[in-house]
Amino acid sequence: FIYKNCTARMVDFGRVLRMMAEVKWDVKEITSQHNGYVDALLQELKVFGNRLIYLGRERVPAKVMEELWQQAARHCAEVFVEGFATPRRCTNEGRALMQLDYQQFLDKLAKLADLKPVPHTQYVEDYIKAYYLSEDDMATWVTQHPVYTRKHMQALVSCKASGTKRAKAKLLSVIDDIDKFRRDF
């Protein structure tokens, strides 16, 4: 818990989320260049890493440093999902751009933090893959992935390009039922 709070205070995740909110995910063509927020997040993490190096191994033991990087990776995964849940419209090309952005981030983070494998990747990858599911598969997916918030689930349903109003209403009802269960539990 303490280490998680340290990383949240040392890295400006809010700035990255604001940058992600400005990205147009309803693009018509797939680009080969990742978005600028990826570089901004990596720069924040470089500063974080430099602060840890400045403190030195005497003040921050290797195990603690490793845990801090683990928590930073966890925060980053949460930021990616939160940012990917922001757009109102997202094309298949936009989803491919999400994957490109995240893969670029993972490649560079692994080198920066010497994390192999980078933890918490499944959380983001599962969320991106959910955009491609059919309505029937989405209903199953929603019930099998309670780790995502109501907002995250609703964003998936709202961005589904092929869904009918009835199918979307059904999925939103499933999400409401899950959320009600969480609150009652």
Side-chain angles (χ1 to χ4, degrees):
F1 180 75
I2 292 171
Y3 299 134
K4 185 177 180 184
N5 285 335
C6 286
T7 58
R9 291 176 159 258
M10 293 174 73
V11 179
D12 188 0
F13 292 111
R15 176 176 162 251
V16 175
L17 278 171
R18 289 188 297 277
M19 291 176 76
M20 289 179 82
E22 294 174 10
V23 174
K24 301 264 187 220
W25 298 108
D26 58 345
V27 295
K28 299 293 182 208
E29 294 180 19
I30 299 173
T31 63
S32 60
Q33 180 63 34
H34 62 273
N35 283 297
Y37 73 85
V38 174
D39 294 326
L41 180 54
L42 288 165
Q43 183 58 40
E44 287 283 334
L45 292 170
K46 282 180 188 172
V47 170
F48 171 75
N50 287 338
R51 288 177 179 164
L52 293 178
I53 290 168
Y54 176 76
L55 290 172
R57 296 262 186 223
E58 293 80 34
R59 290 188 210 154
V60 184
K63 288 282 187 195
V64 172
M65 200 168 290
E66 182 180 328
E67 180 61 28
L68 287 168
W69 275 113
Q70 295 270 338
Q71 290 303 319
R74 179 185 179 133
H75 273 290
C76 290
E78 292 169 355
V79 165
F80 270 95
V81 170
E82 189 67 25
F84 292 160
T86 302
R88 294 191 185 271
R89 294 188 308 160
C90 184
T91 61
N92 284 336
E93 293 81 3
R95 293 178 192 111
L97 184 56
M98 289 176 181
Q99 289 176 316
L100 172 71
D101 287 352
Y102 190 58
Q103 192 57 53
Q104 284 289 331
F105 171 76
L106 289 178
D107 292 346
K108 292 179 180 177
L109 177 63
K111 293 173 188 166
L112 174 68
D114 196 28
L115 288 171
K116 292 183 178 118
V118 174
H120 311 292
T121 59
Q122 199 67 44
Y123 180 69
V124 181
E125 290 168 355
D126 285 350
Y127 191 77
I128 295 170
K129 289 175 188 172
Y131 276 105
Y132 295 102
L133 297 173
S134 68
E135 283 85 8
D136 291 337
D137 291 338
M138 177 71 78
T140 303
W141 188 90
V142 163
T143 58
Q144 292 176 344
H145 291 81
V147 295
Y148 299 99
T149 67
R150 178 183 180 146
K151 176 190 172 193
H152 298 155
M153 299 290 196
Q154 288 174 327
L156 284 172
V157 172
S158 297
C159 282
K160 289 295 288 178
S162 63
T164 63
K165 286 185 180 183
R166 177 179 281 182
K168 286 182 182 182
K170 179 183 169 189
L171 285 170
L172 290 172
S173 175
V174 170
I175 292 167
D176 287 341
D177 291 345
I178 291 169
D179 193 54
K180 184 179 182 310
F181 176 77
R182 283 182 191 159
R183 284 181 288 162
D184 291 345
F185 189 66

